[in-house]
Amino acid sequence: MKFRTLAGALGAAAVLCLPALNSPATAVPEVAAVATDPVVTITYPSSVPLVGGVAHLTYGDPLPVTVRVSGAAGVARGSVSLVMGAWNETGAKARPLDANGTALFSMPLLDAGGPRPLTVWFTPAPGSAYTAAEADGAPVLIARLPAQVSLAGPATLAYGESGEVTATVVPANGFTPVGTVNFHYHSQTSGPLRVSPDTGRATWQLPKALVGQREVKVNYRPDNVQNFATTDDGAWTINVVKDATTTTARAAYKLARKTLRVRARVVPAHGMPMLGSVQFIVTHKGLKPAKKRVRVSSNGVAVFTAPAPRKGTYKIVVQYVGQTRFQASAAPTFKKTV
């Protein structure tokens, strides 16, 4: 900066007066340098997206903020303080500028919300060529943290068979899952089940479902809904197939009535009440075959009484014909001699 002389300050027409002989010289006062305004630059990492002038983060994301103070007089000396929303670092927590005129702030874990304004104050060191200054950075919006929810269970179940499905909740940024999951399966729900904070898992015993493709869905509800987002995208498909059955039969001859009483029993693999019918065929050489389809009781029993007017050997065939929930099965063909 160029400073003017005292004579120049008095004007071009002023007369220069020399001091009288033997009088003491008069000292000319120094003009103090004038401080200038600095340039304060606030920088976020390149990984932080700026949308419409707003910095977007997710709860738990780190946010280092770099502040640099400089200007025409070179690198600044002094300290900077930072305020973002209700959180601030001022006074004793002010960051001194390093030799490059920069200071780094590591933001603490802040609740989701915003956008929060961010402001930096520069306090110059004594004798600095710069004035105190204030600057605003891009406001910061912190979104709730989503969680990944996966499901695992059996791919296939027989009608009446029990099975388990397990949900695993994995929040981002290394947080421990704290909350509940709710399973939905074939119009039934589990109700809220607490997720283990150690494994992130919750398991549900599946109710019995009808034959067909069945989908299990799950949603996660965090306890801290301010900072963690709910998740509804977990799904698992189970193919429920017909249950296997076993059919047995025996026959008794009734002499007084000259009949064969054939009793069949159909047993499902997983203990569900039986449905469907049993086909009986009783044959004897020289006689017309006796045939009948008999509906089974809920405990799987069906009985057929066939005429046995002649002595000899009768061949007996018993077959459970199957149903939408149960596979067909047959008893070994056997003979009865009367």
Side-chain angles (χ1 to χ4, degrees):
M1 178 178 293
K2 185 176 180 180
F3 299 100
R4 300 166 64 191
T5 64
L6 180 61
L10 294 175
V15 178
L16 180 64
C17 298
L18 297 176
L21 191 64
N22 298 326
S23 63
T26 302
V28 179
E30 294 183 359
V31 178
V34 178
T36 60
D37 294 334
V39 176
V40 180
T41 305
I42 303 171
T43 306
Y44 300 142
S46 59
S47 58
V48 176
L50 291 175
V51 181
V54 177
H56 286 252
L57 288 91
T58 302
Y59 177 69
D61 286 345
L63 180 61
V65 178
T66 302
V67 179
R68 187 172 191 272
V69 184
S70 61
V75 173
R77 293 181 299 109
S79 62
V80 287
S81 302
L82 184 149
V83 172
M84 187 175 76
W87 176 85
N88 61 22
E89 282 203 13
T90 57
K93 293 185 178 180
R95 297 279 197 276
L97 297 175
D98 62 17
N100 297 316
T102 62
L104 177 65
F105 291 86
S106 296
M107 306 300 286
L109 184 64
L110 299 171
D111 288 335
R116 292 181 173 94
L118 185 145
T119 303
V120 169
W121 284 277
F122 166 61
T123 302
S128 172
Y130 295 111
T131 62
E134 175 184 333
D136 294 326
V140 178
L141 177 65
I142 303 177
R144 293 188 301 163
L145 183 70
Q148 291 183 340
V149 181
S150 61
L151 277 174
T156 303
L157 286 175
Y159 171 68
E161 184 179 6
S162 296
E164 287 185 345
V165 65
T166 298
T168 302
V169 180
V170 183
N173 290 336
F175 284 96
T176 299
V178 180
T180 59
V181 293
N182 197 353
F183 295 92
H184 305 268
Y185 177 62
H186 193 54
S187 302
Q188 300 187 59
T189 61
S190 65
L193 299 176
R194 176 65 52 181
V195 175
S196 167
D198 297 326
T199 63
R201 295 177 180 175
T203 299
W204 185 41
Q205 186 76 31
L206 292 169
K208 297 175 175 63
L210 298 178
V211 172
Q213 289 252 326
R214 305 297 171 192
E215 189 174 57
V216 184
K217 292 185 176 181
V218 67
N219 51 56
Y220 169 62
R221 295 293 180 266
D223 289 350
N224 182 356
V225 294
Q226 177 179 356
N227 295 322
F228 294 89
T230 60
T231 305
D232 298 316
D233 58 358
W236 183 263
T237 300
I238 298 175
N239 186 28
V240 181
V241 299
K242 294 181 181 182
D243 196 21
T245 61
T246 302
T247 300
T248 58
R250 67 176 188 267
Y253 178 64
K254 301 296 183 179
L255 177 61
R257 297 184 179 182
K258 292 187 178 181
T259 57
L260 279 175
R261 186 176 186 273
V262 185
R263 185 180 188 273
R265 177 74 186 278
V266 185
V267 179
H270 294 96
M272 297 297 286
M274 281 303 304
L275 298 168
S277 302
V278 171
Q279 178 71 48
F280 294 90
I281 302 175
V282 179
T283 59
H284 184 283
K285 188 176 180 181
L287 294 176
K288 183 179 179 179
K291 300 179 180 181
K292 189 173 184 181
R293 181 174 288 192
V294 179
R295 184 172 296 278
V296 298
S297 64
S298 60
N299 61 355
V301 174
V303 177
F304 172 50
T305 301
R310 295 184 184 178
K311 293 183 178 181
T313 300
Y314 290 81
K315 181 181 177 182
I316 302 171
V317 176
V318 177
Q319 182 178 20
Y320 171 65
V321 297
Q323 200 258 354
T324 56
R325 304 177 189 182
F326 300 99
Q327 298 178 24
S329 62
T333 299
F334 65 103
K335 296 178 180 180
K336 180 69 174 178
T337 301
V338 300

